[in-house]
Amino acid sequence: MRFLAVTLIAHRPDPETGVRVTPRERFREVLDSALLAEELGFDGFGVGERHERPFLSSSPTVVLSHIAAITRRIRLFTAVTTLSLLDPVRAYEDYATLDHLSDGRLDLIIGKGNGTAQRELFHVTPEEQWDRNAEGYEVFRRIWRQDKVTADTRFRPPLKDAEVWPRPYQQPVRIWHGSATSKESVDLAARHGDPLFSANVTHPIEPYAELIRYYRERWEHHGHDPAGIAVGAGSAGLQVARTSQEALDAYRPVFESNLAFQRKAGLPVVFETPEDFAERSSALIGSPQQVIEKVHRYHERFGHTVLHLPADAGGGTATRHRDSLELFQSEVAPVLREEIPDPPFAWRPVLAPDTPEPGGEHRPGPEA
């Protein structure tokens, strides 16, 4: 199994002190989190894309480019690239550039995005967003693979023998499809034989398990080998401690802060208490053995081989979150790596055959 640390760069007051750091300080925390993730041995670091309060993640390419400059090994993920809001040509240019700067460490997770404020900011209607996401992806996919692209597009000016630069370092970059609620995005992933990443953070397990089941069904319907399926899944929170009570007590202020935010924003409340949240959500709150058992329970339903964890404290203290990440990496991750397989592809740049890797070594590359 592989592990990602992911942040949406939420910018909210600390639930215990009430202090909210400046945006500059919050960005520095994200950079520190990326360095910590690499130091602890995480396989990837992801930055979300949001264009509304309380998030500072409106420009993930810039943040990931900085992270690429200060790290060397860890893979870089978008979580997610909101193609329903973006011009796919411009998005390709940004991410192809980032892929070169990171020596081929980029994976994309795409999705339609969510939030009324985001849609209104970009003048995207709820009825259009699915079609915009699908069209953006089709254009995106072709640009990664073709030197010249012709496309009769609906949501941007048509392309005729268009050349888009730079050409990719990875050929092509791996694209995951992020899905929280939509069979449309799941079917798009299955049709093209792309990996799926289930958000798995807002609700209990059932709706996510149903979407993943549907993905596997559609994957085979489109004629792909079931052995090639790769599924990732999120986790709604993290607090690993020596005992379950210690973990729950440590996470309680974070839960209560999140609950207050949901109610103030008029968002639906799914979990009313921290105990219910720890039991029925995907959050990993408990002793190392409890966390291992919970990941296995989800794996039985999802068959996922990649797991993302919160990269930062989510409002809790940085020291406590670091202790939790360290305990996860020392006592949880080694067991899960041994007992749950990796995805069915190499965790390294997706290069064409006979392409030199950084350092000059040659190796065979997978089919595009």
Side-chain angles (χ1 to χ4, degrees):
M1 184 170 237
R2 297 286 181 160
F3 302 99
L4 316 181
V6 172
T7 180
L8 298 180
I9 321 185
H11 188 219
R12 290 164 50 192
D14 183 284
E16 296 178 284
T17 67
V19 174
R20 185 171 70 167
V21 300
T22 66
R24 178 185 177 278
E25 291 170 320
R26 186 69 186 93
F27 283 122
R28 293 305 311 179
E29 290 176 351
V30 171
L31 300 181
D32 290 343
S33 294
L35 288 169
L36 176 62
E38 181 163 83
E39 175 191 330
L40 294 179
F42 277 84
D43 302 291
F45 190 88
V47 174
E49 180 179 334
R50 295 290 188 276
H51 300 271
E52 60 185 330
R53 292 178 181 271
F55 305 104
L56 300 179
S57 51
S58 58
S59 188
T61 48
V62 176
V63 178
L64 287 169
S65 291
H66 195 131
I67 291 171
I70 62 175
T71 58
R72 291 292 176 266
R73 176 196 59 78
I74 200 165
R75 287 195 68 79
L76 308 175
F77 282 73
T78 64
V80 299
T81 296
T82 53
L83 273 186
S84 65
L85 309 179
L86 306 177
D87 180 335
V89 175
R90 190 70 186 92
Y92 164 83
E93 291 172 334
D94 285 344
Y95 283 114
T97 301
L98 171 55
D99 195 39
H100 280 277
L101 293 174
S102 66
D103 289 329
R105 287 189 280 147
L106 177 66
D107 275 51
L108 287 167
I109 307 176
I110 66 161
K112 71 170 181 64
N114 53 30
T116 301
Q118 293 191 124
R119 290 197 305 267
E120 291 178 349
L121 183 64
F122 288 89
H123 296 278
V124 173
T125 68
E127 295 76 22
E128 285 180 346
Q129 59 185 349
W130 301 110
D131 291 340
R132 289 178 65 98
N133 184 63
E135 178 183 287
Y137 172 66
E138 297 289 351
V139 173
F140 209 56
R141 176 183 175 86
R142 290 170 64 184
I143 296 173
W144 281 112
R145 290 164 168 78
Q146 300 173 18
D147 291 335
K148 293 185 178 182
V149 174
T150 296
D152 185 16
T153 51
R154 174 184 168 195
F155 297 107
R156 59 146 289 125
L159 300 170
K160 183 173 176 60
D161 292 330
E163 294 183 284
V164 189
W165 293 89
R167 299 309 302 147
Y169 179 79
Q170 297 184 94
Q171 300 185 19
V173 69
R174 181 173 294 112
I175 297 179
W176 301 68
H177 294 246
S179 178
T181 59
S182 163
K183 285 189 173 182
E184 288 91 339
S185 58
V186 165
D187 189 68
L188 188 65
R191 187 189 323 156
H192 289 290
D194 293 330
L196 182 73
F197 219 106
S198 172
N200 191 40
V201 295
T202 307
H203 301 285
I205 193 170
E206 285 75 17
Y208 304 113
E210 173 59 23
L211 279 175
I212 293 171
R213 184 200 61 76
Y214 180 73
Y215 170 67
R216 294 178 181 278
E217 215 174 74
R218 299 303 293 170
W219 178 281
E220 294 194 46
H221 170 81
H222 290 296
H224 303 301
D225 183 353
I229 287 176
V231 173
S235 54
L238 176 71
Q239 188 64 59
V240 190
R242 286 299 167 192
T243 68
S244 59
Q245 192 59 53
E246 182 183 349
L248 193 61
D249 289 344
Y251 197 80
R252 190 177 302 275
V254 178
F255 174 84
E256 291 174 349
S257 173
N258 291 338
L259 182 64
F261 173 80
Q262 290 169 350
R263 287 177 169 155
K264 183 177 180 180
L267 299 173
V269 173
V270 180
F271 307 102
E272 295 279 356
T273 67
E275 289 80 8
D276 186 39
F277 181 69
E279 176 63 29
R280 293 196 304 122
S281 82
S282 62
L284 302 176
I285 301 171
S287 68
Q289 186 58 39
Q290 286 174 311
V291 170
I292 290 168
E293 291 171 359
K294 188 167 192 178
V295 174
H296 269 291
R297 289 200 303 274
Y298 272 76
H299 179 70
E300 288 172 6
R301 300 289 301 277
F302 292 172
H304 61 307
T305 52
V306 180
L307 174 68
H308 90 51
L309 306 170
D312 40 33
T317 67
T319 299
R320 185 184 297 153
H321 190 69
R322 179 181 180 119
D323 291 345
S324 186
L325 289 173
E326 288 178 342
L327 191 54
F328 180 92
Q329 283 292 72
S330 64
E331 298 193 19
V332 177
V335 176
L336 295 176
R337 289 186 192 278
E338 178 70 24
E339 296 177 349
I340 296 177
D342 281 349
F345 44 71
W347 201 261
R348 59 191 181 205
V350 185
L351 301 177
D354 301 319
T355 302
E357 290 189 90
E361 296 183 2
H362 284 70
R363 64 171 177 80
E367 297 180 358

PDB file of all heavy atoms in Angstrom, residues 132-153:
ATOM      1  N   ARG A 132     -18.598  20.013 -18.687  1.00  0.00           N
ATOM      2  CA  ARG A 132     -17.328  20.748 -18.749  1.00  0.00           C
ATOM      3  C   ARG A 132     -16.168  19.884 -18.254  1.00  0.00           C
ATOM      4  O   ARG A 132     -15.072  19.893 -18.833  1.00  0.00           O
ATOM      5  CB  ARG A 132     -17.415  22.027 -17.913  1.00  0.00           C
ATOM      6  CG  ARG A 132     -18.316  23.108 -18.506  1.00  0.00           C
ATOM      7  CD  ARG A 132     -18.374  24.313 -17.583  1.00  0.00           C
ATOM      8  NE  ARG A 132     -17.061  24.942 -17.503  1.00  0.00           N
ATOM      9  CZ  ARG A 132     -16.707  26.010 -18.229  1.00  0.00           C
ATOM     10  NH1 ARG A 132     -17.554  26.562 -19.061  1.00  0.00           N
ATOM     11  NH2 ARG A 132     -15.500  26.525 -18.096  1.00  0.00           N
ATOM     12  N   ASN A 133     -16.406  19.136 -17.184  1.00  0.00           N
ATOM     13  CA  ASN A 133     -15.360  18.252 -16.664  1.00  0.00           C
ATOM     14  C   ASN A 133     -14.987  17.195 -17.699  1.00  0.00           C
ATOM     15  O   ASN A 133     -13.798  16.944 -17.943  1.00  0.00           O
ATOM     16  CB  ASN A 133     -15.832  17.585 -15.373  1.00  0.00           C
ATOM     17  CG  ASN A 133     -14.765  16.730 -14.727  1.00  0.00           C
ATOM     18  OD1 ASN A 133     -13.718  17.229 -14.319  1.00  0.00           O
ATOM     19  ND2 ASN A 133     -15.013  15.431 -14.640  1.00  0.00           N
ATOM     20  N   ALA A 134     -15.988  16.576 -18.324  1.00  0.00           N
ATOM     21  CA  ALA A 134     -15.717  15.517 -19.306  1.00  0.00           C
ATOM     22  C   ALA A 134     -15.006  16.078 -20.534  1.00  0.00           C
ATOM     23  O   ALA A 134     -14.033  15.492 -21.018  1.00  0.00           O
ATOM     24  CB  ALA A 134     -17.017  14.834 -19.714  1.00  0.00           C
ATOM     25  N   GLU A 135     -15.476  17.224 -21.042  1.00  0.00           N
ATOM     26  CA  GLU A 135     -14.822  17.809 -22.214  1.00  0.00           C
ATOM     27  C   GLU A 135     -13.391  18.230 -21.888  1.00  0.00           C
ATOM     28  O   GLU A 135     -12.462  17.997 -22.667  1.00  0.00           O
ATOM     29  CB  GLU A 135     -15.614  19.022 -22.710  1.00  0.00           C
ATOM     30  CG  GLU A 135     -14.950  19.708 -23.894  1.00  0.00           C
ATOM     31  CD  GLU A 135     -15.681  20.950 -24.354  1.00  0.00           C
ATOM     32  OE1 GLU A 135     -16.775  20.789 -24.962  1.00  0.00           O
ATOM     33  OE2 GLU A 135     -15.175  22.069 -24.119  1.00  0.00           O
ATOM     34  N   GLY A 136     -13.219  18.887 -20.727  1.00  0.00           N
ATOM     35  CA  GLY A 136     -11.880  19.304 -20.332  1.00  0.00           C
ATOM     36  C   GLY A 136     -10.935  18.131 -20.246  1.00  0.00           C
ATOM     37  O   GLY A 136      -9.777  18.214 -20.684  1.00  0.00           O
ATOM     38  N   TYR A 137     -11.426  17.015 -19.686  1.00  0.00           N
ATOM     39  CA  TYR A 137     -10.568  15.835 -19.573  1.00  0.00           C
ATOM     40  C   TYR A 137     -10.224  15.265 -20.940  1.00  0.00           C
ATOM     41  O   TYR A 137      -9.073  14.873 -21.183  1.00  0.00           O
ATOM     42  CB  TYR A 137     -11.233  14.759 -18.719  1.00  0.00           C
ATOM     43  CG  TYR A 137     -10.459  13.470 -18.760  1.00  0.00           C
ATOM     44  CD1 TYR A 137      -9.184  13.400 -18.202  1.00  0.00           C
ATOM     45  CD2 TYR A 137     -10.950  12.352 -19.414  1.00  0.00           C
ATOM     46  CE1 TYR A 137      -8.437  12.234 -18.275  1.00  0.00           C
ATOM     47  CE2 TYR A 137     -10.209  11.187 -19.485  1.00  0.00           C
ATOM     48  CZ  TYR A 137      -8.952  11.137 -18.908  1.00  0.00           C
ATOM     49  OH  TYR A 137      -8.215   9.994 -18.998  1.00  0.00           O
ATOM     50  N   GLU A 138     -11.192  15.181 -21.852  1.00  0.00           N
ATOM     51  CA  GLU A 138     -10.920  14.628 -23.181  1.00  0.00           C
ATOM     52  C   GLU A 138      -9.843  15.450 -23.892  1.00  0.00           C
ATOM     53  O   GLU A 138      -8.932  14.897 -24.520  1.00  0.00           O
ATOM     54  CB  GLU A 138     -12.201  14.585 -24.016  1.00  0.00           C
ATOM     55  CG  GLU A 138     -13.303  13.686 -23.465  1.00  0.00           C
ATOM     56  CD  GLU A 138     -12.998  12.204 -23.576  1.00  0.00           C
ATOM     57  OE1 GLU A 138     -12.001  11.837 -24.226  1.00  0.00           O
ATOM     58  OE2 GLU A 138     -13.767  11.396 -23.000  1.00  0.00           O
ATOM     59  N   VAL A 139      -9.935  16.776 -23.809  1.00  0.00           N
ATOM     60  CA  VAL A 139      -8.922  17.629 -24.430  1.00  0.00           C
ATOM     61  C   VAL A 139      -7.581  17.462 -23.717  1.00  0.00           C
ATOM     62  O   VAL A 139      -6.524  17.323 -24.344  1.00  0.00           O
ATOM     63  CB  VAL A 139      -9.383  19.105 -24.398  1.00  0.00           C
ATOM     64  CG1 VAL A 139      -8.273  20.031 -24.883  1.00  0.00           C
ATOM     65  CG2 VAL A 139     -10.634  19.291 -25.251  1.00  0.00           C
ATOM     66  N   PHE A 140      -7.627  17.485 -22.396  1.00  0.00           N
ATOM     67  CA  PHE A 140      -6.433  17.308 -21.562  1.00  0.00           C
ATOM     68  C   PHE A 140      -5.700  16.024 -21.942  1.00  0.00           C
ATOM     69  O   PHE A 140      -4.486  16.014 -22.181  1.00  0.00           O
ATOM     70  CB  PHE A 140      -6.921  17.238 -20.117  1.00  0.00           C
ATOM     71  CG  PHE A 140      -5.956  17.732 -19.088  1.00  0.00           C
ATOM     72  CD1 PHE A 140      -5.435  19.005 -19.146  1.00  0.00           C
ATOM     73  CD2 PHE A 140      -5.611  16.926 -18.010  1.00  0.00           C
ATOM     74  CE1 PHE A 140      -4.570  19.474 -18.172  1.00  0.00           C
ATOM     75  CE2 PHE A 140      -4.753  17.376 -17.033  1.00  0.00           C
ATOM     76  CZ  PHE A 140      -4.235  18.657 -17.112  1.00  0.00           C
ATOM     77  N   ARG A 141      -6.458  14.941 -22.019  1.00  0.00           N
ATOM     78  CA  ARG A 141      -5.879  13.631 -22.321  1.00  0.00           C
ATOM     79  C   ARG A 141      -5.201  13.624 -23.684  1.00  0.00           C
ATOM     80  O   ARG A 141      -4.092  13.082 -23.849  1.00  0.00           O
ATOM     81  CB  ARG A 141      -6.993  12.581 -22.265  1.00  0.00           C
ATOM     82  CG  ARG A 141      -6.573  11.181 -22.645  1.00  0.00           C
ATOM     83  CD  ARG A 141      -7.767  10.227 -22.639  1.00  0.00           C
ATOM     84  NE  ARG A 141      -7.391   8.908 -23.125  1.00  0.00           N
ATOM     85  CZ  ARG A 141      -6.878   7.948 -22.379  1.00  0.00           C
ATOM     86  NH1 ARG A 141      -6.690   8.163 -21.086  1.00  0.00           N
ATOM     87  NH2 ARG A 141      -6.554   6.781 -22.898  1.00  0.00           N
ATOM     88  N   ARG A 142      -5.831  14.237 -24.682  1.00  0.00           N
ATOM     89  CA  ARG A 142      -5.274  14.230 -26.033  1.00  0.00           C
ATOM     90  C   ARG A 142      -4.013  15.085 -26.120  1.00  0.00           C
ATOM     91  O   ARG A 142      -3.052  14.728 -26.809  1.00  0.00           O
ATOM     92  CB  ARG A 142      -6.331  14.694 -27.031  1.00  0.00           C
ATOM     93  CG  ARG A 142      -7.443  13.664 -27.211  1.00  0.00           C
ATOM     94  CD  ARG A 142      -8.604  14.200 -28.006  1.00  0.00           C
ATOM     95  NE  ARG A 142      -8.201  14.519 -29.375  1.00  0.00           N
ATOM     96  CZ  ARG A 142      -9.003  15.085 -30.271  1.00  0.00           C
ATOM     97  NH1 ARG A 142     -10.253  15.383 -29.938  1.00  0.00           N
ATOM     98  NH2 ARG A 142      -8.559  15.326 -31.493  1.00  0.00           N
ATOM     99  N   ILE A 143      -4.014  16.221 -25.408  1.00  0.00           N
ATOM    100  CA  ILE A 143      -2.818  17.065 -25.447  1.00  0.00           C
ATOM    101  C   ILE A 143      -1.616  16.346 -24.854  1.00  0.00           C
ATOM    102  O   ILE A 143      -0.487  16.468 -25.356  1.00  0.00           O
ATOM    103  CB  ILE A 143      -3.074  18.399 -24.713  1.00  0.00           C
ATOM    104  CG1 ILE A 143      -4.150  19.212 -25.426  1.00  0.00           C
ATOM    105  CG2 ILE A 143      -1.794  19.225 -24.648  1.00  0.00           C
ATOM    106  CD1 ILE A 143      -4.565  20.458 -24.674  1.00  0.00           C
ATOM    107  N   TRP A 144      -1.836  15.564 -23.787  1.00  0.00           N
ATOM    108  CA  TRP A 144      -0.721  14.822 -23.196  1.00  0.00           C
ATOM    109  C   TRP A 144      -0.116  13.837 -24.190  1.00  0.00           C
ATOM    110  O   TRP A 144       1.079  13.529 -24.119  1.00  0.00           O
ATOM    111  CB  TRP A 144      -1.193  14.034 -21.961  1.00  0.00           C
ATOM    112  CG  TRP A 144      -1.331  14.857 -20.706  1.00  0.00           C
ATOM    113  CD1 TRP A 144      -2.493  15.172 -20.073  1.00  0.00           C
ATOM    114  CD2 TRP A 144      -0.295  15.474 -19.940  1.00  0.00           C
ATOM    115  NE1 TRP A 144      -2.241  15.936 -18.970  1.00  0.00           N
ATOM    116  CE2 TRP A 144      -0.902  16.141 -18.855  1.00  0.00           C
ATOM    117  CE3 TRP A 144       1.090  15.523 -20.066  1.00  0.00           C
ATOM    118  CZ2 TRP A 144      -0.182  16.849 -17.906  1.00  0.00           C
ATOM    119  CZ3 TRP A 144       1.815  16.223 -19.119  1.00  0.00           C
ATOM    120  CH2 TRP A 144       1.181  16.871 -18.055  1.00  0.00           C
ATOM    121  N   ARG A 145      -0.933  13.324 -25.119  1.00  0.00           N
ATOM    122  CA  ARG A 145      -0.511  12.209 -25.966  1.00  0.00           C
ATOM    123  C   ARG A 145      -0.202  12.580 -27.414  1.00  0.00           C
ATOM    124  O   ARG A 145       0.425  11.799 -28.115  1.00  0.00           O
ATOM    125  CB  ARG A 145      -1.613  11.125 -25.969  1.00  0.00           C
ATOM    126  CG  ARG A 145      -1.741  10.399 -24.637  1.00  0.00           C
ATOM    127  CD  ARG A 145      -3.056   9.633 -24.539  1.00  0.00           C
ATOM    128  NE  ARG A 145      -3.039   8.727 -23.409  1.00  0.00           N
ATOM    129  CZ  ARG A 145      -3.232   9.094 -22.142  1.00  0.00           C
ATOM    130  NH1 ARG A 145      -3.464  10.360 -21.866  1.00  0.00           N
ATOM    131  NH2 ARG A 145      -3.200   8.206 -21.160  1.00  0.00           N
ATOM    132  N   GLN A 146      -0.649  13.741 -27.877  1.00  0.00           N
ATOM    133  CA  GLN A 146      -0.524  14.090 -29.295  1.00  0.00           C
ATOM    134  C   GLN A 146       0.256  15.386 -29.464  1.00  0.00           C
ATOM    135  O   GLN A 146       0.073  16.336 -28.706  1.00  0.00           O
ATOM    136  CB  GLN A 146      -1.914  14.246 -29.926  1.00  0.00           C
ATOM    137  CG  GLN A 146      -2.769  12.990 -29.864  1.00  0.00           C
ATOM    138  CD  GLN A 146      -4.195  13.232 -30.349  1.00  0.00           C
ATOM    139  OE1 GLN A 146      -4.461  14.219 -31.026  1.00  0.00           O
ATOM    140  NE2 GLN A 146      -5.092  12.338 -29.999  1.00  0.00           N
ATOM    141  N   ASP A 147       1.095  15.439 -30.504  1.00  0.00           N
ATOM    142  CA  ASP A 147       1.853  16.658 -30.784  1.00  0.00           C
ATOM    143  C   ASP A 147       0.958  17.770 -31.325  1.00  0.00           C
ATOM    144  O   ASP A 147       1.222  18.953 -31.102  1.00  0.00           O
ATOM    145  CB  ASP A 147       2.970  16.368 -31.782  1.00  0.00           C
ATOM    146  CG  ASP A 147       4.058  15.493 -31.182  1.00  0.00           C
ATOM    147  OD1 ASP A 147       4.213  15.502 -29.944  1.00  0.00           O
ATOM    148  OD2 ASP A 147       4.746  14.792 -31.939  1.00  0.00           O
ATOM    149  N   LYS A 148      -0.081  17.400 -32.081  1.00  0.00           N
ATOM    150  CA  LYS A 148      -1.034  18.373 -32.603  1.00  0.00           C
ATOM    151  C   LYS A 148      -2.445  17.879 -32.300  1.00  0.00           C
ATOM    152  O   LYS A 148      -2.733  16.703 -32.471  1.00  0.00           O
ATOM    153  CB  LYS A 148      -0.860  18.578 -34.103  1.00  0.00           C
ATOM    154  CG  LYS A 148       0.462  19.233 -34.487  1.00  0.00           C
ATOM    155  CD  LYS A 148       0.516  19.513 -35.983  1.00  0.00           C
ATOM    156  CE  LYS A 148       1.812  20.217 -36.349  1.00  0.00           C
ATOM    157  NZ  LYS A 148       1.872  20.547 -37.812  1.00  0.00           N
ATOM    158  N   VAL A 149      -3.304  18.796 -31.880  1.00  0.00           N
ATOM    159  CA  VAL A 149      -4.647  18.412 -31.448  1.00  0.00           C
ATOM    160  C   VAL A 149      -5.687  19.224 -32.203  1.00  0.00           C
ATOM    161  O   VAL A 149      -5.584  20.452 -32.312  1.00  0.00           O
ATOM    162  CB  VAL A 149      -4.823  18.639 -29.930  1.00  0.00           C
ATOM    163  CG1 VAL A 149      -6.265  18.379 -29.502  1.00  0.00           C
ATOM    164  CG2 VAL A 149      -3.873  17.743 -29.150  1.00  0.00           C
ATOM    165  N   THR A 150      -6.692  18.523 -32.736  1.00  0.00           N
ATOM    166  CA  THR A 150      -7.874  19.148 -33.311  1.00  0.00           C
ATOM    167  C   THR A 150      -9.073  18.697 -32.488  1.00  0.00           C
ATOM    168  O   THR A 150      -9.267  17.499 -32.274  1.00  0.00           O
ATOM    169  CB  THR A 150      -8.061  18.745 -34.785  1.00  0.00           C
ATOM    170  OG1 THR A 150      -6.952  19.245 -35.543  1.00  0.00           O
ATOM    171  CG2 THR A 150      -9.355  19.329 -35.348  1.00  0.00           C
ATOM    172  N   ALA A 151      -9.860  19.649 -31.997  1.00  0.00           N
ATOM    173  CA  ALA A 151     -11.005  19.313 -31.153  1.00  0.00           C
ATOM    174  C   ALA A 151     -12.101  20.351 -31.340  1.00  0.00           C
ATOM    175  O   ALA A 151     -11.849  21.566 -31.243  1.00  0.00           O
ATOM    176  CB  ALA A 151     -10.593  19.239 -29.678  1.00  0.00           C
ATOM    177  N   ASP A 152     -13.303  19.888 -31.608  1.00  0.00           N
ATOM    178  CA  ASP A 152     -14.471  20.758 -31.750  1.00  0.00           C
ATOM    179  C   ASP A 152     -15.110  20.888 -30.376  1.00  0.00           C
ATOM    180  O   ASP A 152     -15.988  20.116 -30.001  1.00  0.00           O
ATOM    181  CB  ASP A 152     -15.444  20.160 -32.764  1.00  0.00           C
ATOM    182  CG  ASP A 152     -16.625  21.087 -33.039  1.00  0.00           C
ATOM    183  OD1 ASP A 152     -16.522  22.276 -32.680  1.00  0.00           O
ATOM    184  OD2 ASP A 152     -17.639  20.614 -33.580  1.00  0.00           O
ATOM    185  N   THR A 153     -14.648  21.863 -29.612  1.00  0.00           N
ATOM    186  CA  THR A 153     -15.030  21.997 -28.213  1.00  0.00           C
ATOM    187  C   THR A 153     -16.222  22.932 -28.048  1.00  0.00           C
ATOM    188  O   THR A 153     -16.451  23.832 -28.856  1.00  0.00           O
ATOM    189  CB  THR A 153     -13.853  22.526 -27.382  1.00  0.00           C
ATOM    190  OG1 THR A 153     -13.338  23.692 -28.024  1.00  0.00           O
ATOM    191  CG2 THR A 153     -12.757  21.491 -27.274  1.00  0.00           C
TER     192      THR A 153
END
